[in-house]
Amino acid sequence: MRIFDSLKQAAISALKRESRKAVNKAVNTAVQNIGKGRNHTETFTFDALPQTVEALQALPEAKLDTAFKTTALTILALSRYESDPETAYAMLSWLKGPDDFSTSEKSFLQDRLRGKEYKVRSFFEGAIPDNDYTPNKPYVISVIENPYSFDNENWATLYVTSGGADNPRNIKLRKKPSTGQWFLNDIQCLSDIRLPKSEDKWA
């Protein structure tokens, strides 16, 4: 009986070893696959900020064939708000595609940006509190994808970096399957950030 017990014990130990190997292999494969094509940054460079809807539509990114392009153009549209809110609304309405930029969305924008227009400038490269969020020229916007950005079919959540925040801020987008275009769905990137140096009494 002791021989059979020993054989049984050896078989159980071998099964446990193989099981652990299989689990470790699966975990390692999952970790390696997280970043493959699904965790990267796309950078967009613009010589000037568009002043009209037509100028926005004339940009190569205006094909809206990727969620990254639509996100970058959303930041350009928001940047127009500081000097011309109505044109910013028109740009955002165009980026919304089949949906309009609603009255409640306009109110939300006014709420978030009134007296804090520097929030939008902070999404351009080089704009930090110490220089009162003055962007570098040409204007550069980085759009980030994480492993969960495209988890839901025809939907995406991408991120833009702010020179006044520790973590990237998100923008939600929706794809129209019949055209393959990505449209703006929800602006979620306008939470408060660090004050510009000129407005910070503790600077």
Side-chain angles (χ1 to χ4, degrees):
M1 289 296 290
R2 281 198 295 271
I3 292 174
F4 288 114
D5 287 342
S6 297
L7 289 172
K8 182 180 176 184
Q9 226 22 67
I12 290 171
S13 296
L15 283 170
K16 284 182 178 177
R17 279 197 304 274
E18 290 307 312
S19 179
R20 280 197 297 270
K21 284 181 187 176
V23 169
N24 288 337
K25 184 178 179 183
V27 169
N28 289 335
T29 301
V31 170
Q32 289 167 5
N33 286 337
I34 280 175
K36 289 182 178 177
R38 297 197 65 205
N39 192 13
H40 71 280
T41 300
E42 291 194 13
T43 301
F44 299 87
T45 302
F46 304 95
D47 291 327
L49 301 178
Q51 303 298 299
T52 64
V53 176
E54 292 74 22
L56 185 76
Q57 293 169 336
L59 294 170
E61 292 80 6
K63 288 185 290 185
L64 308 183
D65 53 344
T66 74
F68 293 89
K69 293 177 182 178
T70 306
T71 300
L73 294 191
T74 297
I75 299 302
L76 293 187
L78 288 171
S79 72
R80 193 73 182 107
Y81 181 86
E82 187 167 2
S83 56
D84 187 352
E86 290 304 319
T87 297
Y89 299 151
M91 289 178 171
L92 292 166
S93 191
W94 178 72
L95 288 169
K96 292 272 289 183
D99 293 330
D100 290 324
F101 194 67
S102 67
T103 302
S104 62
E105 287 174 308
K106 291 177 184 178
S107 297
F108 172 81
L109 215 58
Q110 291 162 10
D111 252 6
R112 291 302 177 112
L113 294 181
R114 188 180 294 112
K116 297 181 179 181
E117 290 84 356
Y118 57 81
K119 287 183 188 178
V120 179
R121 297 199 304 273
S122 80
F123 296 119
F124 292 101
E125 187 178 275
I128 57 175
D130 282 353
N131 63 16
D132 285 342
Y133 294 111
T134 303
N136 295 339
K137 291 182 181 179
Y139 300 92
V140 176
I141 301 167
S142 294
V143 182
I144 304 166
E145 170 192 10
N146 73 19
Y148 311 102
S149 286
F150 293 91
D151 269 4
N152 297 316
E153 188 178 8
N154 296 324
W155 291 89
T157 301
L158 295 180
Y159 299 81
V160 284
T161 53
S162 166
D166 296 326
N167 299 309
R169 303 296 177 84
N170 55 316
I171 291 175
K172 192 172 182 181
L173 307 109
R174 184 176 184 180
K175 185 179 183 180
K176 186 177 181 183
S178 61
T179 65
Q181 292 174 298
W182 286 90
F183 294 104
L184 171 65
N185 177 259
D186 194 15
I187 299 168
Q188 302 172 333
C189 60
L190 297 176
S191 300
D192 283 344
I193 59 174
R194 288 184 281 275
L195 289 170
K197 188 174 183 178
S198 62
E199 295 183 25
D200 186 358
K201 64 181 181 181
W202 291 102

